[in-house]
Amino acid sequence: MISLDNPRDSAERVVAGMLKVPPLADELGRIFAAHGHALHLVGGTVRDALLGRLTGIGGTGGAPDLDFTTDARPERVLEMTRGWAEATWEAGIAFGTVGLARRGARLEVTTYRAENYDRDSRNPTVSYGDSLEGDLVRRDFTVNAMAVSVPDHQFVDLFGGMADLSRAVLRTPGPPEVSLDDDPLRILRAIRFEAQLGLAPTPELVDAMTARAERLKIVSAERIRDELRKLIISADPVAGLRRLVDVGAAAATLPELPGLRMEIDEHHQHKDVYAHTMTVLRQAMDLEDDGPDEVLRWAALLHDIGKPRTRRHATGGGVSFHHHEVVGRDMTRKRLVALRFPKDVADAITLLVFLHLRFHGYGTGEWTDSAVRRYVHDAGPQLRRLHKLVRSDCTTRNKRKAAMLARHYDSLEERIAALAAQEEISAIRPELSGDDIMEILGIRPSRLVGEARQHMLDFRFDMGMVGRDAAVAELLRWAGERGLPIPGESG
């Protein structure tokens, strides 16, 4: 707290003057003050304001717009804001947090607290604190342990967070061992802040992270997933992912990643898959159109995770990874399901991992229009991402080979565009529907209908649009080959 007897007072007054506190925060602060309670903006809200990242509020549906801490208990917060808040939510009230909505903004108010984990618990146990200092010291890092009172804008920095922010250092307010024992998820948060904000953890923090990485296994899959998703869309996910592996946290959260560090011997040379993967991720990021593309980044990270399980040493040297895209697809789905990823996101990533090798072989000139149609059809809405993933997957230092691969893919995209000008190849359907097939063959819904429809889809790929009469003739031919009775024919 600023005091005239404090030698840091003038600097803190300057900082307080620089912070642009949203009017909504002051409005809420006046309500708390009128009822005899303190209210402070805290955590990432203050950190981002100092970094110039708090550009506005407006309810994005993600993290809350504004975070506050107070001496008032949750029930009291609800009582004081009744009539002011346009909506409230109490999902976090067991942890001392009340959510408020006002003029399109989302605010979270948390009572001073101290929390820690039982050794075998996935969730923190919460007890309320009685001072701002006690609340700040239990926060994860000094850069998140700064506060600004509202409505009078007193800047509070008890643990040197502003100095750490200016030096791009990540440090805990108290001993790092205690902080990480309180909540092991802070290991992932430290890694994410390094990737997102460029804050390097101190050696002491790195040591504590390494010693406690196994403790991440007690944290719920959902909390781990949320941190990993924030990490992958950060400014420098490669730095974060390398730290994830180096401190042992990947082994407890994303074990497929350190698994890419396969031993390489002098007799069976192959590219370092781990280093290759990081290069592919960086190259995929370079191809993003409008901000981070989470699906593309995950696909780039996971595209080769099937290689360790499919590696085979060839006689006389060399290494093969046959069908690693199939194994990788299954591994990807299993990991994303375990991390409770949304199904649509997991499906998109898994499809890209499965298809990332499909292009190879195109350059031999053997691809027919049918093959191109299948490529587009199978990729579906992920086609643009597949283009980027395939191009990113070229990390050869052989400039001639890289240029050749680029030309081949340019050629494929030109053929796709030419076919697309003739037909909507991304939405190819058989010319005969399932109902048509049942009517023509005189059969009821069954697996046979699905088999017939798949055949007609393959026929559509191979022959393009042929018209209904030719499609019916092909269906009857297919049915006859299988000995199916043809309506209208007698024995």
Side-chain angles (χ1 to χ4, degrees), residues 253-304:
T253 59
L254 196 63
E256 296 79 6
L257 185 56
L260 295 176
R261 283 181 159 175
M262 295 183 290
E263 181 181 351
I264 300 177
D265 63 65
E266 59 181 334
H267 302 296
H268 298 92
Q269 292 290 326
H270 64 83
K271 189 177 297 182
D272 182 342
V273 182
Y274 177 76
H276 164 76
T277 294
M278 296 305 170
T279 301
V280 173
L281 175 54
R282 287 196 186 280
Q283 293 183 167
M285 291 168 60
D286 289 340
L287 297 178
E288 291 172 336
D289 296 318
D290 185 23
D293 185 335
E294 182 188 6
V295 169
L296 176 62
R297 292 187 183 194
W298 275 112
L301 180 66
L302 301 176
H303 78 285
D304 274 348

Side-chain angles (χ1 to χ4, degrees), residues 184-193 209 216 223-225 227-228 231 244 249-250 253:
L185 188 71
R186 290 173 176 175
I187 297 171
L188 297 189
R189 286 175 61 81
I191 293 168
R192 194 241 302 176
F193 285 136
M209 291 162 64
L216 282 165
R223 297 183 75 210
I224 288 174
R225 172 203 63 204
E227 283 301 323
L228 292 177
L231 169 60
L244 191 76
T253 59

Side-chain angles (χ1 to χ4, degrees), residues 212-217 224 244 248-255 258 335 339:
R212 285 157 178 75
E214 281 292 308
R215 291 263 289 149
L216 282 165
K217 291 182 178 180
I224 288 174
L244 191 76
T253 59
L254 196 63
R335 177 54 51 198
L339 287 170

Side-chain angles (χ1 to χ4, degrees), residues 364-377:
T364 63
E366 298 172 357
W367 276 37
T368 61
D369 285 351
S370 172
V372 176
R373 291 188 189 103
R374 289 177 187 274
Y375 188 79
V376 175
H377 177 271

Side-chain angles (χ1 to χ4, degrees), residues 71 78 174 184-185 200 253 263 285 291 301 307 321 414 450 463 483:
D71 60 340
L78 288 170
L185 188 71
T253 59
E263 181 181 351
M285 291 168 60
L301 180 66
K307 280 190 170 181
F321 304 98
E414 289 168 4
M463 305 305 296

Side-chain angles (χ1 to χ4, degrees), residues 207-258:
D207 289 344
M209 291 162 64
T210 304
R212 285 157 178 75
E214 281 292 308
R215 291 263 289 149
L216 282 165
K217 291 182 178 180
I218 73 168
V219 181
S220 69
E222 291 82 0
R223 297 183 75 210
I224 288 174
R225 172 203 63 204
D226 291 347
E227 283 301 323
L228 292 177
R229 293 187 71 183
K230 292 173 185 176
L231 169 60
I232 201 71
I233 62 170
S234 64
D236 190 0
V238 171
L241 291 164
R242 290 189 183 280
R243 180 76 73 182
L244 191 76
V245 171
D246 291 344
V247 301
T253 59
L254 196 63
E256 296 79 6
L257 185 56

